[in-house]
Amino acid sequence: MTDEPPENIVVIGSGGHGREIAEVCLAVARAEPGRVHLVGVIDDGPRAGDLARLISAGIAYLGTVAAWPWSSYACSFVVGVSDPTARRRIANSLVAHSRPATLVHPDATLGSQVALGPGCVVFAGARLSTTVRLGAHVHLYHNVTVGSDAVVDDFTTVCSAATVGSGTHTGAGVMVGAGAVVLDQRRVGDGSTVAAAACVVGDVPPDTVVTGVPATARSPKHSLRATS
Ligand SMILES: CC(C)(COP(=O)(O)OP(=O)(O)OC[C@H]1O[C@@H](n2cnc3c(N)ncnc32)[C@H](O)[C@@H]1OP(=O)(O)O)[C@@H](O)C(=O)NCCC(=O)NCCS
């Protein structure tokens, strides 16, 4: 406990990704009493099923971004949207109102000299080696492994159980699919997608979708990245 009041946090997005991030926030609050307080979830168009799931989890639905009293309620935000492009758009629209919060689940482990940008979320089971650098609003799902000296740039999402190797550079706005592997020292260009279960053995150019083992480029770029 500290004398400081807890950091009030709102999560933007009531879909599965947003609710998982709300749970990360609650886990941090349990592990470090007084550090954070989950105020609730904001969503401009919540689905009925997602609202019901919020209610059953005891998490408050706070209304829309426009209706939330940003200027009179001191809080920071996390964008609970997995798609990197949408997350960037929402985060950029909020910078005038609030500041991003960074959340690390207590069951994640971070090596020495790990730098996390504002808005980063690290889910349970993620393992970050030494001297890792994550940019702003990077999301690492459950059981992701990031090797030593890796750099992951702003607004990238790494899905569950993916491995991003040592010395890799993953660009901005990248989606690394579930269970994918980026071998050591490789580069993944901005805006690219590494498909679920792909193995990246060479550098990936920007705005490219790669699939398979070894990963090869698909063209043109597929639009779907993830569902929530
Ligand atoms: C690669 C990916 C972006 C393709 O998305 P999409 O275009 O909507 O995919 P579709 O379902 O329309 O499939 C298009 C083609 O790609 C193939 N494909 C889809 N995902 C694939 C994958 N992971 N590996 C290999 N091939 C894949 C499909 O079989 C299909 O092949 P076809 O054209 O020969 O029939 C997506 O499947 C993916 O892997 N996203 C990663 C995100 C992720 O892991 N989400 C999980 C939540 S954590």
Tab-separated table of all heavy atoms in Angstrom, residues 141 159-160 175-178 193-198 209-212 218 222-226, ligand 1:
chain	number	residue	atom	x	y	z
A	141	TYR	N	-0.600	-11.279	-25.439
A	141	TYR	CA	-1.607	-12.168	-24.862
A	141	TYR	C	-0.955	-13.237	-23.985
A	141	TYR	O	0.265	-13.319	-23.869
A	141	TYR	CB	-2.370	-12.887	-25.973
A	141	TYR	CG	-3.347	-12.088	-26.780
A	141	TYR	CD1	-3.324	-10.703	-26.846
A	141	TYR	CD2	-4.308	-12.750	-27.526
A	141	TYR	CE1	-4.236	-10.012	-27.625
A	141	TYR	CE2	-5.221	-12.070	-28.318
A	141	TYR	CZ	-5.180	-10.701	-28.359
A	141	TYR	OH	-6.077	-10.035	-29.139
A	159	CYS	N	-0.444	-12.564	-30.248
A	159	CYS	CA	-1.508	-13.438	-29.738
A	159	CYS	C	-0.947	-14.601	-28.911
A	159	CYS	O	0.262	-14.852	-28.895
A	159	CYS	CB	-2.348	-13.963	-30.899
A	159	CYS	SG	-3.270	-12.679	-31.760
A	160	SER	N	-1.854	-15.307	-28.295
A	160	SER	CA	-1.497	-16.306	-27.284
A	160	SER	C	-0.466	-17.326	-27.782
A	160	SER	O	-0.547	-17.811	-28.908
A	160	SER	CB	-2.747	-17.079	-26.858
A	160	SER	OG	-3.681	-16.192	-26.318
A	175	MET	N	0.300	-7.740	-36.359
A	175	MET	CA	-0.441	-8.793	-35.662
A	175	MET	C	0.361	-10.072	-35.794
A	175	MET	O	0.589	-10.554	-36.912
A	175	MET	CB	-1.825	-8.971	-36.290
A	175	MET	CG	-2.607	-10.168	-35.769
A	175	MET	SD	-3.137	-10.019	-34.063
A	175	MET	CE	-4.608	-9.002	-34.255
A	176	VAL	N	0.816	-10.602	-34.671
A	176	VAL	CA	1.475	-11.911	-34.661
A	176	VAL	C	0.435	-12.910	-34.145
A	176	VAL	O	-0.027	-12.797	-33.004
A	176	VAL	CB	2.733	-11.914	-33.770
A	176	VAL	CG1	3.381	-13.306	-33.777
A	176	VAL	CG2	3.735	-10.862	-34.239
A	177	GLY	N	0.056	-13.876	-34.977
A	177	GLY	CA	-1.026	-14.786	-34.646
A	177	GLY	C	-0.672	-15.785	-33.565
A	177	GLY	O	0.502	-15.997	-33.219
A	178	ALA	N	-1.708	-16.421	-33.068
A	178	ALA	CA	-1.546	-17.372	-31.975
A	178	ALA	C	-0.590	-18.501	-32.364
A	178	ALA	O	-0.676	-19.058	-33.452
A	178	ALA	CB	-2.910	-17.951	-31.611
A	193	THR	N	1.048	-9.020	-40.927
A	193	THR	CA	0.368	-10.039	-40.136
A	193	THR	C	1.126	-11.350	-40.279
A	193	THR	O	1.383	-11.797	-41.404
A	193	THR	CB	-1.080	-10.247	-40.624
A	193	THR	OG1	-1.807	-9.027	-40.461
A	193	THR	CG2	-1.771	-11.355	-39.849
A	194	VAL	N	1.482	-11.927	-39.157
A	194	VAL	CA	2.050	-13.274	-39.135
A	194	VAL	C	0.906	-14.198	-38.724
A	194	VAL	O	0.354	-14.067	-37.624
A	194	VAL	CB	3.220	-13.365	-38.138
A	194	VAL	CG1	3.751	-14.795	-38.083
A	194	VAL	CG2	4.326	-12.371	-38.495
A	195	ALA	N	0.508	-15.092	-39.610
A	195	ALA	CA	-0.665	-15.927	-39.358
A	195	ALA	C	-0.454	-16.832	-38.157
A	195	ALA	O	0.683	-17.167	-37.789
A	195	ALA	CB	-0.956	-16.779	-40.587
A	196	ALA	N	-1.573	-17.263	-37.600
A	196	ALA	CA	-1.512	-18.222	-36.503
A	196	ALA	C	-0.688	-19.440	-36.929
A	196	ALA	O	-0.813	-19.929	-38.051
A	196	ALA	CB	-2.925	-18.644	-36.118
A	197	ALA	N	0.192	-19.877	-36.041
A	197	ALA	CA	1.007	-21.082	-36.214
A	197	ALA	C	2.060	-20.984	-37.313
A	197	ALA	O	2.687	-21.990	-37.649
A	197	ALA	CB	0.130	-22.316	-36.450
A	198	ALA	N	2.287	-19.779	-37.856
A	198	ALA	CA	3.342	-19.613	-38.865
A	198	ALA	C	4.712	-19.594	-38.189
A	198	ALA	O	4.832	-19.282	-37.004
A	198	ALA	CB	3.128	-18.311	-39.635
A	209	VAL	N	1.054	-10.261	-45.374
A	209	VAL	CA	0.547	-11.380	-44.571
A	209	VAL	C	1.401	-12.593	-44.886
A	209	VAL	O	1.560	-12.952	-46.064
A	209	VAL	CB	-0.929	-11.679	-44.899
A	209	VAL	CG1	-1.419	-12.890	-44.100
A	209	VAL	CG2	-1.814	-10.465	-44.609
A	210	VAL	N	1.942	-13.216	-43.867
A	210	VAL	CA	2.700	-14.448	-44.085
A	210	VAL	C	2.029	-15.584	-43.341
A	210	VAL	O	1.514	-15.416	-42.241
A	210	VAL	CB	4.186	-14.310	-43.670
A	210	VAL	CG1	4.907	-13.308	-44.550
A	210	VAL	CG2	4.334	-13.961	-42.204
A	211	THR	N	2.027	-16.747	-43.981
A	211	THR	CA	1.405	-17.935	-43.388
A	211	THR	C	2.336	-19.134	-43.560
A	211	THR	O	3.184	-19.162	-44.449
A	211	THR	CB	0.066	-18.279	-44.081
A	211	THR	OG1	0.319	-18.565	-45.453
A	211	THR	CG2	-0.943	-17.153	-43.971
A	212	GLY	N	2.119	-20.131	-42.724
A	212	GLY	CA	2.742	-21.432	-42.928
A	212	GLY	C	4.120	-21.598	-42.327
A	212	GLY	O	4.682	-20.704	-41.709
A	218	ARG	N	1.464	-13.995	-48.511
A	218	ARG	CA	0.218	-14.073	-49.249
A	218	ARG	C	-0.069	-12.688	-49.799
A	218	ARG	O	0.242	-11.690	-49.176
A	218	ARG	CB	-0.949	-14.475	-48.342
A	218	ARG	CG	-0.776	-15.812	-47.686
A	218	ARG	CD	-1.908	-16.032	-46.715
A	218	ARG	NE	-3.176	-16.006	-47.413
A	218	ARG	CZ	-3.761	-17.091	-47.911
A	218	ARG	NH1	-3.199	-18.260	-47.768
A	218	ARG	NH2	-4.902	-17.020	-48.539
A	222	HIS	N	-4.647	-9.711	-46.374
A	222	HIS	CA	-5.975	-10.016	-45.875
A	222	HIS	C	-6.388	-8.956	-44.863
A	222	HIS	O	-5.561	-8.420	-44.136
A	222	HIS	CB	-5.975	-11.387	-45.216
A	222	HIS	CG	-5.820	-12.498	-46.211
A	222	HIS	ND1	-4.637	-12.754	-46.832
A	222	HIS	CD2	-6.717	-13.377	-46.697
A	222	HIS	CE1	-4.800	-13.777	-47.662
A	222	HIS	NE2	-6.057	-14.166	-47.589
A	223	SER	N	-7.693	-8.699	-44.823
A	223	SER	CA	-8.166	-7.627	-43.958
A	223	SER	C	-8.391	-8.089	-42.520
A	223	SER	O	-8.187	-7.334	-41.594
A	223	SER	CB	-9.464	-7.042	-44.510
A	223	SER	OG	-10.416	-8.071	-44.633
A	224	LEU	N	-8.827	-9.333	-42.345
A	224	LEU	CA	-9.162	-9.746	-40.987
A	224	LEU	C	-7.904	-10.020	-40.185
A	224	LEU	O	-7.027	-10.717	-40.625
A	224	LEU	CB	-10.018	-11.013	-41.004
A	224	LEU	CG	-10.390	-11.514	-39.612
A	224	LEU	CD1	-11.512	-10.679	-39.043
A	224	LEU	CD2	-10.776	-12.960	-39.644
A	225	ARG	N	-7.860	-9.499	-38.972
A	225	ARG	CA	-6.734	-9.779	-38.109
A	225	ARG	C	-7.180	-10.602	-36.915
A	225	ARG	O	-6.584	-11.586	-36.587
A	225	ARG	CB	-6.085	-8.477	-37.647
A	225	ARG	CG	-5.323	-7.846	-38.789
A	225	ARG	CD	-5.142	-6.376	-38.572
A	225	ARG	NE	-4.223	-5.866	-39.583
A	225	ARG	CZ	-3.028	-5.427	-39.314
A	225	ARG	NH1	-2.578	-5.453	-38.098
A	225	ARG	NH2	-2.264	-4.969	-40.268
A	226	ALA	N	-8.214	-10.188	-36.254
A	226	ALA	CA	-8.754	-10.948	-35.130
A	226	ALA	C	-10.172	-10.482	-34.935
A	226	ALA	O	-10.595	-9.506	-35.533
A	226	ALA	CB	-7.920	-10.734	-33.873
B	1	LIG	C1	-3.877	-15.431	-41.720
B	1	LIG	C2	-5.156	-14.724	-41.345
B	1	LIG	C3	-4.882	-13.248	-41.078
B	1	LIG	C4	-6.125	-14.878	-42.517
B	1	LIG	O1	-7.316	-14.267	-42.222
B	1	LIG	P1	-8.513	-14.333	-43.300
B	1	LIG	O2	-8.098	-13.731	-44.565
B	1	LIG	O3	-9.766	-13.856	-42.674
B	1	LIG	O4	-8.585	-15.899	-43.441
B	1	LIG	P2	-9.630	-16.817	-44.130
B	1	LIG	O5	-10.266	-17.601	-43.042
B	1	LIG	O6	-10.498	-16.059	-45.102
B	1	LIG	O7	-8.675	-17.762	-44.973
B	1	LIG	C5	-8.061	-17.328	-46.153
B	1	LIG	C6	-7.112	-18.413	-46.569
B	1	LIG	O8	-5.994	-18.417	-45.651
B	1	LIG	C7	-5.890	-19.724	-45.057
B	1	LIG	N1	-5.453	-19.497	-43.691
B	1	LIG	C8	-6.101	-18.805	-42.747
B	1	LIG	N2	-5.380	-18.786	-41.612
B	1	LIG	C9	-4.268	-19.479	-41.865
B	1	LIG	C10	-3.144	-19.809	-41.075
B	1	LIG	N3	-3.021	-19.394	-39.805
B	1	LIG	N4	-2.157	-20.528	-41.647
B	1	LIG	C11	-2.258	-20.941	-42.929
B	1	LIG	N5	-3.294	-20.643	-43.740
B	1	LIG	C12	-4.296	-19.932	-43.192
B	1	LIG	C13	-7.252	-20.344	-45.192
B	1	LIG	O9	-7.195	-21.732	-45.166
B	1	LIG	C14	-7.697	-19.826	-46.524
B	1	LIG	O10	-7.053	-20.554	-47.536
B	1	LIG	P3	-7.701	-20.735	-49.006
B	1	LIG	O11	-7.774	-19.351	-49.595
B	1	LIG	O12	-6.757	-21.629	-49.708
B	1	LIG	O13	-9.051	-21.330	-48.772
B	1	LIG	C15	-5.789	-15.322	-40.039
B	1	LIG	O14	-6.329	-16.623	-40.308
B	1	LIG	C16	-4.811	-15.414	-38.901
B	1	LIG	O15	-4.039	-16.364	-38.761
B	1	LIG	N6	-4.827	-14.366	-38.021
B	1	LIG	C17	-3.968	-14.268	-36.879
B	1	LIG	C18	-4.717	-13.752	-35.661
B	1	LIG	C19	-4.898	-14.814	-34.586
B	1	LIG	O16	-4.087	-15.663	-34.334
B	1	LIG	N7	-6.004	-14.709	-33.882
B	1	LIG	C20	-6.289	-15.597	-32.806
B	1	LIG	C21	-6.760	-14.845	-31.629
B	1	LIG	S1	-5.523	-14.678	-30.410
